[in-house]
Amino acid sequence: MAVLECVVNISEGRDIALLAGLAEVVSGDLLDVHTDPDHNRSVFTLVGEWAPRDLARLAVGRLSIGSHDGVHPRLGVVDVVPFVPLVGSTMADAERARDEFASWVSTELSVPSFLYGTGRTLPHIRAHAWKDLGPDTGPTSPHPTAGAVCVGARMPLVAYNVWLRGATVGTAREIAREVRTEHIRTLGLQVGELTQVSMNLVSPAIAGPVQAFDSVAESATRRNIGILHAELVGLLPADVLDGIPEGRWEELDLSADRTIESRLKARGISR
């Protein structure tokens, strides 16, 4: 059985009733939901190719990017839809699912799509969309309420935040630049009264939560800034967790029940 994961990022993190309705629609294929009111963003970790369409259809019908505010960059109400190969599937399967979703969302919902994966990164789209980069499918201008969607095909990554104590957003951005590598994508953000280094660990077997946390902590310490806490956004691969001493799990906001494999197992699927 071929299984794909899809990690849909929705530009809404405050309307609890609306988010509960979105989760209910995809409950049969839902592995995890992570919600952040300051980012005004929710991450739905799904299994398969149909649940992302059900989620997108409902979100486009109920949300408007025009009234959205939040610290996280976004192009649309259904902002990011990456397909990830898991059980018995390949990157080619993920790319096919990406292309079919992009065609569907453009045809059925009239929302333009930007594609990312091999040859183009999500940060590149964020920097160039509607400037010198047009959508790959759909209308040539943003949907009036839904904006645009970034549809990707990628291997598993880890979304991870480290919150800082007593740092300005300028300092958070300095730390983010300092720890950024080809394996760790970073943003320094003002989140309410606090600041954080928000990261995508795109090669977690090489640079995972330990390396990310310790790099931020080292950079912060040189500036006499402390760490408040770490935050795992969504799930992580079990082999990444297995490589981290259990004595550090609490500090790093990790646990055995927050792996992709543990959630698949709960649904009778073995990765």
Side-chain angles (χ1 to χ4, degrees), residues 56-184:
R57 183 183 291 107
L58 188 58
V60 167
R62 296 192 177 183
L63 296 172
S64 174
I65 198 66
S67 60
H68 181 274
D69 66 345
V71 299
H72 199 287
R74 67 276 183 187
L75 288 182
V77 296
V78 182
D79 191 50
V80 182
V81 181
F83 290 89
V84 182
L86 295 180
V87 182
S89 60
T90 65
M91 183 57 72
D93 295 319
E95 290 171 345
R96 174 196 52 75
R98 173 198 64 189
D99 295 346
E100 290 180 0
F101 180 93
S103 177
W104 172 84
V105 78
S106 297
T107 301
E108 296 295 321
L109 304 181
S110 299
V111 179
S113 294
F114 294 86
L115 303 183
Y116 69 95
T118 304
R120 183 195 286 170
T121 67
L122 180 58
H124 179 84
I125 293 173
R126 293 212 188 280
H128 294 274
W130 307 124
K131 299 171 186 173
D132 55 1
L133 180 66
D136 295 284
T137 66
T140 57
S141 58
H143 185 282
T145 58
V149 57
C150 303
V151 192
R154 61 164 174 78
M155 297 304 291
L157 61 72
V158 177
Y160 200 67
N161 299 327
V162 176
W163 295 73
L164 305 174
R165 187 191 306 276
T168 66
V169 68
T171 300
R173 289 170 179 163
E174 288 177 6
I175 294 172
R177 285 193 295 269
E178 196 166 291
V179 304
R180 186 178 301 144
T181 71
E182 63 178 312
H183 306 299
I184 304 176

Side-chain angles (χ1 to χ4, degrees), residues 160-219:
Y160 200 67
N161 299 327
V162 176
W163 295 73
L164 305 174
R165 187 191 306 276
T168 66
V169 68
T171 300
R173 289 170 179 163
E174 288 177 6
I175 294 172
R177 285 193 295 269
E178 196 166 291
V179 304
R180 186 178 301 144
T181 71
E182 63 178 312
H183 306 299
I184 304 176
R185 296 174 182 165
T186 64
L187 291 171
L189 300 175
Q190 183 78 47
V191 184
E193 296 181 356
L194 303 173
T195 57
Q196 70 175 206
V197 179
S198 178
M199 293 173 278
N200 277 341
L201 313 182
V202 296
S203 306
I206 298 172
V210 169
Q211 291 80 11
F213 181 93
D214 289 350
S215 293
V216 172
E218 179 182 353
S219 182

Side-chain angles (χ1 to χ4, degrees), residues 196-255:
Q196 70 175 206
V197 179
S198 178
M199 293 173 278
N200 277 341
L201 313 182
V202 296
S203 306
I206 298 172
V210 169
Q211 291 80 11
F213 181 93
D214 289 350
S215 293
V216 172
E218 179 182 353
S219 182
T221 297
R222 288 199 298 271
R223 294 170 169 82
N224 295 316
I225 292 168
I227 303 296
L228 280 172
H229 61 85
E231 179 185 25
L232 173 66
V233 179
L235 306 175
L236 81 165
D239 57 358
V240 174
L241 183 67
D242 291 342
I244 299 172
E246 190 170 349
R248 294 202 67 184
W249 287 6
E250 182 176 358
E251 175 190 30
L252 299 173
D253 190 36
L254 307 175
S255 62

